[in-house]
Amino acid sequence: MADVRPELGEQGWRFFSGLHRLLLHLAGRVPDEWLNHVRAMLAAGDLAQIPDTVSGAVADLGVPLTTGQVALLRETVGTFFGGREPMRIEQVRISDEIPAPSHRFFPVPADVLATDAARIPPRLDLSGRPGDDLWDLPPALAALDDLADRLTDLEDSSPVSVLRGNEDVLSIARAWRCPPEAGVRVVLVEVAAGAAAWDIMRTVQQALQRHGDSGAQVEVFWTGEDLSPYHRAALAGSALFRRPSHAGGGTGGR
């Protein structure tokens, strides 16, 4: 595993990892396009602009942050701009509770649910497939062979392909988030502690964009960390593409 903390330094790691966690906690509570934009800013190293971008947006939307997240925004701005406060930080609501998601998550696309919902388990384990192709179903799912080419699509292959060989990646799953009616693709990637989660997010996001899904949400989290209700729900309603490589891993055990 490539531990990025020595390269970034203690303060750099605290800023990058803290802002990454903050954006994870905003998933499902802010517009998807905005979240993708700010995550791209983090991956590009644009730390100086992120606190104003976040504080201004959550103030507008009425989305609360925790006391620790507000402190992180203040520390980040203070590091780059002296004693200045983040934009509209005094208008940001404070709450240490993260609400349950209003979305529902499913392991297959909406068109499959429309015709065969009764046959689809709440969570679909595709990790035991005999080959690399996602439509080569594992023996345990033989009853769904007639749906094999509808359970996943070419875009689902993107994260599996682009992350193949990355030793920091422990598991990969995908859920469809509803509403809207057609669903939003949510890719969930569990990575080792010390991995640059923001870089892995960018790698997957760019691969999905190249395959035509610019609206997909890519959630990259460190193994062993507490997940938000949103991510727990997404994992519970996901299709597992790559099983955790350690016992009791986050995607397999949560």
Side-chain angles (χ1 to χ4, degrees):
M1 180 195 68
D3 191 329
V4 302
R5 283 170 290 188
E7 177 183 345
L8 290 174
E10 182 178 349
Q11 185 182 54
W13 172 261
R14 188 171 71 255
F15 287 159
F16 272 92
S17 62
L19 291 170
H20 182 81
R21 288 188 185 93
L22 188 158
L23 296 175
L24 280 175
H25 287 180
L26 290 178
R29 303 163 65 199
V30 296
D32 293 337
E33 184 177 358
W34 179 89
L35 186 58
N36 283 347
H37 171 68
V38 182
R39 283 174 165 165
M41 291 172 64
L42 180 63
D46 194 5
L47 295 184
Q49 304 304 319
I50 290 177
D52 285 339
T53 303
V54 170
S55 58
V58 298
D60 276 339
L61 295 168
V63 174
L65 299 179
T66 68
T67 53
Q69 290 165 349
V70 169
L72 174 68
L73 295 180
R74 283 182 162 138
E75 182 185 3
T76 307
V77 165
T79 298
F80 289 99
F81 299 110
R84 184 173 75 76
E85 287 273 85
M87 181 186 300
R88 300 178 61 191
I89 195 69
E90 73 284 351
Q91 299 175 30
V92 175
R93 292 171 50 204
I94 303 295
S95 174
D96 289 328
E97 296 292 329
I98 299 176
S102 58
H103 307 94
R104 299 179 66 193
F105 297 91
F106 301 96
V108 295
D111 66 297
V112 178
L113 292 175
T115 59
D116 294 273
R119 302 172 57 194
I120 305 299
R123 195 157 189 266
L124 201 62
D125 189 349
L126 302 176
S127 64
R129 58 192 182 277
D132 291 334
D133 294 334
L134 292 177
W135 48 89
D136 289 337
L137 300 186
L141 296 178
L144 299 179
D145 276 347
D146 60 309
L147 299 176
D149 61 352
R150 298 176 61 205
L151 300 177
T152 57
D153 57 22
L154 290 176
E155 287 78 9
D156 279 339
S157 299
S158 296
V160 177
S161 177
V162 78
L163 296 178
R164 184 176 289 118
N166 188 326
E167 296 182 356
D168 286 332
V169 175
L170 305 181
S171 66
I172 305 170
R174 187 270 299 128
W176 284 100
R177 193 191 76 197
C178 301
E181 182 177 345
V184 173
R185 189 189 313 271
V186 179
V187 179
L188 303 125
V189 183
E190 178 189 16
V191 299
W198 46 91
D199 286 338
I200 292 171
M201 180 283 307
R202 176 171 56 181
T203 296
V204 175
Q205 192 75 59
Q206 290 176 341
L208 288 165
Q209 288 172 352
R210 288 194 297 270
H211 283 81
D213 193 344
S214 60
Q217 301 299 288
V218 182
E219 308 295 324
V220 182
F221 56 92
W222 289 286
T223 189
E225 294 203 355
D226 288 336
L227 299 181
S228 72
Y230 177 90
H231 295 96
R232 290 197 297 270
L235 286 169
S238 68
L240 177 63
F241 298 157
R242 176 168 157 183
R243 182 180 294 277
S245 58
H246 60 285
T251 302
R254 295 184 193 273

